[in-house]
Amino acid sequence: QVQLVESGGGLVQTGGSLKLSCVVSGGTLRRYTMAWFRQGPGKEREFVAAIRSNGGTTHYGDSVKGRFTVSRDTAKNTLYLQMNDLKPEDTSIYYCAAGAGIIWSSLWSSNNYNYWGQGTQVTVSS
């Protein structure tokens, strides 16, 4: 059973940075498309970023392009999300997700991911 555990969330001021981590156990992240989603209060779950199983291709949601960077460390079986220039609208619970066999045009949809972490809270103060 694949398990995902996020960490690294917290409270930061506008313009600050945070780095989220997602440790994968029970499987190797090389087998999966790995992604970050977020869900703010009263909002639907939103795609943030993804990295393909080959590790060579990344994709970002429009609201975070140029500010966030997704990466992975296969030796540590860990996914990362470096978040820079944070804004109050980035305040959300951030979730790590893993899915197998996701075609590139569908990776934005949370329905295509099989495994989810419990989430980590990110709060950006103005």
Side-chain angles (χ1 to χ4, degrees):
Q1 179 73 8
V2 175
Q3 293 187 323
L4 310 177
V5 179
E6 304 98 333
S7 62
L11 174 64
V12 65
Q13 292 185 335
T14 296
S17 298
L18 281 175
K19 187 173 184 177
L20 306 183
S21 300
C22 171
V23 177
V24 180
S25 61
T28 174
L29 57 74
R30 286 181 177 181
R31 293 188 57 192
Y32 302 99
T33 293
M34 300 296 300
W36 291 96
F37 285 79
R38 67 185 183 185
Q39 188 165 16
K43 297 182 180 179
E44 293 187 355
R45 194 162 291 191
E46 175 190 9
F47 171 78
V48 175
I51 184 167
R52 295 201 71 176
S53 57
N54 63 13
T57 308
T58 57
H59 187 72
Y60 297 91
D62 289 341
S63 61
V64 306
K65 281 181 182 177
R67 300 188 297 124
F68 291 11
T69 303
V70 61
S71 63
R72 69 182 195 181
D73 184 332
T74 55
K76 295 182 178 180
N77 225 26
T78 301
L79 178 74
Y80 300 102
L81 184 69
Q82 177 66 49
M83 305 185 294
N84 298 328
D85 189 24
L86 283 160
K87 305 175 181 181
E89 52 264 42
D90 294 317
T91 295
S92 289
I93 300 174
Y94 283 72
Y95 298 92
C96 172
I102 301 175
I103 61 174
W104 199 236
S105 60
S106 298
L107 54 80
W108 59 269
S109 173
S110 60
N111 293 330
N112 294 315
Y113 293 84
N114 308 102
Y115 305 103
W116 292 85
Q118 82 290 347
T120 185
Q121 176 71 47
V122 171
T123 303
V124 184
S125 63
S126 57

